[in-house]
Amino acid sequence: MKQEKTQAPVQNSRAVVRLPIIVAITLAAGMLIGSTFFSGGNKLADVAKGSAKFREVLMYVENNYVDSVNTDELVDFSISKMLEKLDPHTAYFNSEEATAARSQLESGFDGIGVEFNIFNDTVYVVTPLSGGPSETAGIQSGDRILMVDKEKLSGPGVTNAQVYKLLRGKRGTKVDLSIERVGLNEKMNFAVIRDRIPTYSVDAAYMVDQEIGYIKVSRFSETTFDEFKSALKTLKADGLKKLILDLRGNPGGYMERATSMADEFISGDKLLVYTEGKDSRFDRKTRSHVEGSFEKGPLIVLVDEGSASASEILAGALQDHDRALVVGRRSYGKGLVQMPIKLSDNSELRLTISRYYTPSGRSIQKPYELGKGEDYSQDLSHRYESGELFNVDSIKFDKSKIYKTDGGRIVYGGGGITPDAFVPRDTLLNSKYLFELYAKNIIREYALRYANDNVKKLEKQSFNEYLKSFQVTDVMLAEMVKDASKSGIKPNAKELNLSKPIITAQTKAIIGRYVWGRKQKTGLNNEVFQVLNPTDNVYQHAIQLFGQASQLEAGDFSSLNTIKGGKE
């Protein structure tokens, strides 16, 4: 907080002036809302007593503290610190932060494209938004953002407003990030070019072959269900009989969009999700009720440690009703329900009011201790260190929380959705040289330059012809290495050869997207996924599991593999 050199005249700030009014309104309304919202007069009296104490302290600070202070900032800071004593997802946003946060789901914005959380004064990446510049640059779930443009972004006092201010900005501008990543001793530096973060949430929808369709959903925003319905209708017209629904890296969003999607797959009148809280007014059950567009046909759902909240509601409902084979890694485990409460000055309190439960009774929320956000925020790091991301035997279940699907298959509670078929995180082709190429946008910049220089020649063929025949040559790689050297990246032939499949696939994907995908207005990035998915080990494994998915749909569980997991 900045201090003035001279003592300013004593004046009441907006916060101090409005506080008596707020307290008075609260007391006057107590008879009306106390019995329902606060569940009793004694608790309302405690709240009023605490409010009076806070107002008293704030008045003393404003009128008698040696230097001028911004009491609005003090109020905001006090609320934020108070909420840290609660669960990890209850949060306060000042008016500027609230507007910025809502834009993640309601409208587009310019920025680097990450979903983040602040725990213990550290900014953690929940997931890079699909198709955004952070994903292109190679930023991953669990990364810790330490510095932005040489400004420290960790330590006491870091706020949502500060993060938004530093990460958002005019498209085309560069932002330099210092990142700490689990498993790497050295800090990583990324140069990310801000871009428009689209409102589209269905990133891809295409036919893999004559029967198998693929749909990638990156988040659950206002338009997600409409986008999904349109994509599904198109694929059905193209002969869809089997579907892969990719929810990896999907941080969630609007629950209603997720349950509407579940209803498209689940027939009859079945429970999809329910919530339970301290106040029964927030208890809710959502059931299937419409005739869905794909209630029959083998279905595979892909999840990973970046799939959270609404993604877990959808995957959990499909798994509990034996409607889909879930493939990948254990999901994030975010099963607390926040109610957004708009305050008088347009700030917003997101208050946890209940918990999500899957139809079988599993709580989606992973364990946490009140006030211990640091341990909670490091869960993904713990999964990495324990080997859970790489070895199915390292998954630890709470054996006291055993539940059963409709067909009697065992599933475990205790946080997140555990897949029916585990696929490890693939790091075999990673190298320091690859990360350096990501950090300085070498792959993307080279691919875009190549596409620009060769667009007329490339456009003479169809994308399908390009997909089958185009190869990134050694000459092209050599040019890319020269670009990297000019940017200060030392050549490393051994690591280049190790990561060559990733480098060539991403180069081809970006060229394809620029030449064939830039003109369409649907938000789909089919060209990128059609190139990259065949090199994706989770996708490759899933394609081989439609036999099991068909058995699951038919109610034959005899030959299905069940993940047993390690010891408690």
Side-chain angles (χ1 to χ4, degrees):
M1 177 164 43
K2 185 178 179 181
Q3 295 184 342
E4 304 292 340
K5 293 182 179 179
T6 57
Q7 177 67 41
V10 175
Q11 293 181 335
N12 283 337
S13 73
R14 287 191 296 116
V16 174
V17 169
R18 76 185 185 217
L19 197 59
I21 300 174
I22 294 172
V23 173
I25 292 173
T26 303
L27 291 172
M31 293 298 292
L32 176 63
I33 66 174
S35 61
T36 57
F37 193 85
F38 293 107
S39 302
N42 289 337
K43 291 184 179 181
L44 180 60
D46 290 341
V47 171
K49 183 179 177 181
S51 299
K53 182 192 291 187
F54 180 74
R55 176 179 178 273
E56 187 178 7
V57 171
L58 196 63
M59 289 290 290
Y60 276 119
V61 170
E62 170 67 13
N63 292 329
N64 301 304
Y65 184 67
V66 63
D67 295 310
S68 295
V69 295
N70 185 325
T71 43
D72 277 341
E73 289 185 358
L74 286 181
V75 170
D76 287 347
F77 181 76
S78 301
I79 294 172
S80 296
K81 298 305 286 186
M82 172 183 69
L83 298 181
E84 286 182 6
K85 293 294 183 182
L86 304 180
D87 68 273
H89 295 292
T90 289
Y92 168 77
F93 297 87
N94 63 34
S95 57
E96 182 181 347
E97 293 170 337
T99 300
R102 282 192 291 270
S103 71
Q104 298 269 97
L105 296 176
E106 296 174 357
S107 62
F109 59 92
D110 291 350
I112 70 167
V114 291
E115 180 90 8
F116 69 89
N117 270 332
I118 299 176
F119 291 117
N120 197 34
D121 300 319
T122 301
V123 180
Y124 291 85
V125 175
V126 175
T127 188
L129 298 181
S130 183
S134 288
E135 183 188 56
T136 301
I139 291 173
Q140 299 178 4
S141 298
D143 284 351
R144 303 172 191 179
I145 304 177
L146 304 180
M147 297 185 73
V148 179
D149 289 333
K150 297 183 179 180
E151 183 171 334
K152 191 175 181 181
L153 197 59
S154 61
V158 62
T159 64
N160 285 287
Q162 184 183 8
V163 178
Y164 287 129
K165 181 180 178 181
L166 290 174
L167 298 186
R168 293 190 176 185
K170 187 177 180 181
R171 73 187 74 177
T173 57
K174 185 183 76 167
V175 56
D176 293 315
L177 304 179
S178 177
I179 296 285
E180 185 177 72
R181 178 169 295 171
V182 176
L184 296 178
N185 294 327
E186 298 179 16
K187 293 180 176 60
M188 305 174 64
N189 296 311
F190 289 84
V192 181
I193 306 300
R194 295 183 180 95
D195 202 352
R196 186 67 176 171
I197 309 303
T199 56
Y200 298 113
S201 50
V202 174
D203 289 344
Y206 66 88
M207 292 298 292
V208 178
D209 58 24
Q210 292 183 339
E211 292 188 341
I212 299 175
Y214 172 87
I215 297 179
K216 167 73 174 176
V217 181
S218 60
R219 55 192 173 275
F220 291 94
S221 63
E222 283 187 328
T223 62
T224 299
F225 182 61
D226 291 336
E227 292 177 53
F228 169 77
K229 284 276 285 182
S230 176
L232 190 60
K233 181 179 179 181
T234 299
L235 295 189
K236 288 185 70 176
D238 290 338
L240 175 71
K241 291 183 174 59
K242 307 171 184 177
L243 178 64
I244 295 177
L245 178 64
D246 193 346
L247 301 179
R248 289 176 295 171
N250 184 322
Y254 293 119
M255 181 196 78
E256 290 81 4
R257 306 306 188 272
T259 54
S260 293
M261 197 177 294
D263 207 350
E264 292 299 309
F265 298 114
I266 296 173
S267 62
D269 176 24
K270 296 187 178 73
L271 183 63
L272 300 177
V273 66
Y274 67 95
T275 61
E276 288 185 353
K278 180 171 65 177
D279 190 327
S280 60
R281 291 186 303 122
F282 302 126
D283 294 350
R284 178 179 175 183
K285 292 183 177 181
T286 302
R287 307 184 69 87
S288 59
H289 63 281
V290 302
E291 184 176 347
S293 301
F294 196 73
E295 292 182 350
K296 294 182 179 180
L299 175 63
I300 292 176
V301 175
L302 308 185
V303 298
D304 66 6
E305 57 279 358
S307 308
S309 192
S311 299
E312 298 174 292
I313 290 172
L314 175 54
L318 294 172
Q319 187 180 54
D320 280 2
H321 290 306
D322 299 304
R323 178 63 189 92
L325 189 74
V326 180
V327 178
R329 295 182 293 278
R330 182 165 66 95
S331 62
Y332 185 86
K334 198 274 188 184
L336 295 175
V337 185
Q338 283 73 52
M339 176 173 67
I341 303 171
K342 192 172 183 180
L343 304 179
S344 58
D345 63 346
N346 289 321
S347 59
E348 185 173 285
L349 171 65
R350 294 190 180 180
L351 183 67
T352 296
I353 55 170
S354 56
R355 288 180 170 82
Y356 287 125
Y357 294 87
T358 71
S360 66
R362 291 181 287 167
S363 171
I364 291 172
Q365 179 61 41
K366 60 189 175 186
Y368 65 91
E369 291 185 55
L370 291 178
K372 293 189 176 181
E374 181 177 5
D375 291 341
Y376 183 86
S377 67
Q378 293 181 357
D379 175 62
L380 294 182
S381 299
H382 297 328
R383 295 192 201 188
Y384 183 97
E385 292 160 359
S386 70
E388 179 183 327
L389 302 182
F390 308 99
N391 191 330
V392 65
D393 292 332
S394 296
I395 300 177
K396 297 179 180 178
F397 298 116
D398 185 343
K399 298 297 176 63
S400 67
K401 297 179 179 177
I402 294 177
Y403 300 85
K404 290 187 176 181
T405 68
D406 289 354
R409 294 186 301 137
I410 291 177
V411 288
Y412 294 95
I417 303 300
T418 300
D420 303 305
F422 174 82
V423 185
R425 192 169 179 173
D426 187 4
T427 59
L428 293 177
L429 302 180
N430 287 347
S431 67
K432 183 181 178 183
Y433 188 74
L434 174 65
F435 291 147
E436 289 175 331
L437 294 180
Y438 282 154
K440 295 195 174 181
N441 271 321
I442 302 300
I443 299 174
R444 179 177 181 274
E445 293 304 319
Y446 174 81
L448 292 177
R449 188 173 77 244
Y450 181 91
N452 264 316
D453 292 343
N454 297 275
V455 62
K456 290 183 179 179
K457 180 177 70 174
L458 291 168
E459 281 181 333
K460 291 179 180 179
Q461 60 185 324
S462 68
F463 174 74
N464 285 334
E465 290 172 331
Y466 168 85
L467 186 63
K468 293 175 183 177
S469 64
F470 183 85
Q471 300 218 351
V472 176
T473 65
D474 289 341
V475 172
M476 294 171 67
L477 285 177
E479 292 173 349
M480 197 182 303
V481 170
K482 286 182 182 179
D483 289 347
S485 297
K486 291 177 183 178
S487 297
I489 302 174
K490 293 181 180 180
N492 189 318
K494 182 179 179 180
E495 292 188 359
L496 172 65
N497 190 58
L498 173 66
S499 300
K500 183 177 177 179
I502 296 178
I503 297 170
T504 55
Q506 295 204 352
T507 303
K508 182 175 178 177
I510 296 169
I511 294 171
R513 172 72 178 96
Y514 179 83
V515 175
W516 287 276
R518 61 192 170 124
K519 296 178 182 178
Q520 52 87 14
K521 304 293 184 183
T522 62
L524 297 176
N525 290 294
N526 286 344
E527 296 78 15
V528 170
F529 287 91
Q530 284 177 273
V531 173
L532 294 182
N533 274 343
T535 68
D536 180 332
N537 70 320
V538 178
Y539 173 90
Q540 287 177 318
H541 192 67
I543 287 288
Q544 307 302 318
L545 294 177
F546 272 108
Q548 290 191 30
S550 297
Q551 290 177 321
L552 181 67
E553 185 190 18
D556 178 9
F557 312 132
S558 58
S559 60
L560 291 179
N561 296 324
T562 302
I563 293 179
K564 302 297 183 184
K567 298 179 180 179
E568 292 180 68

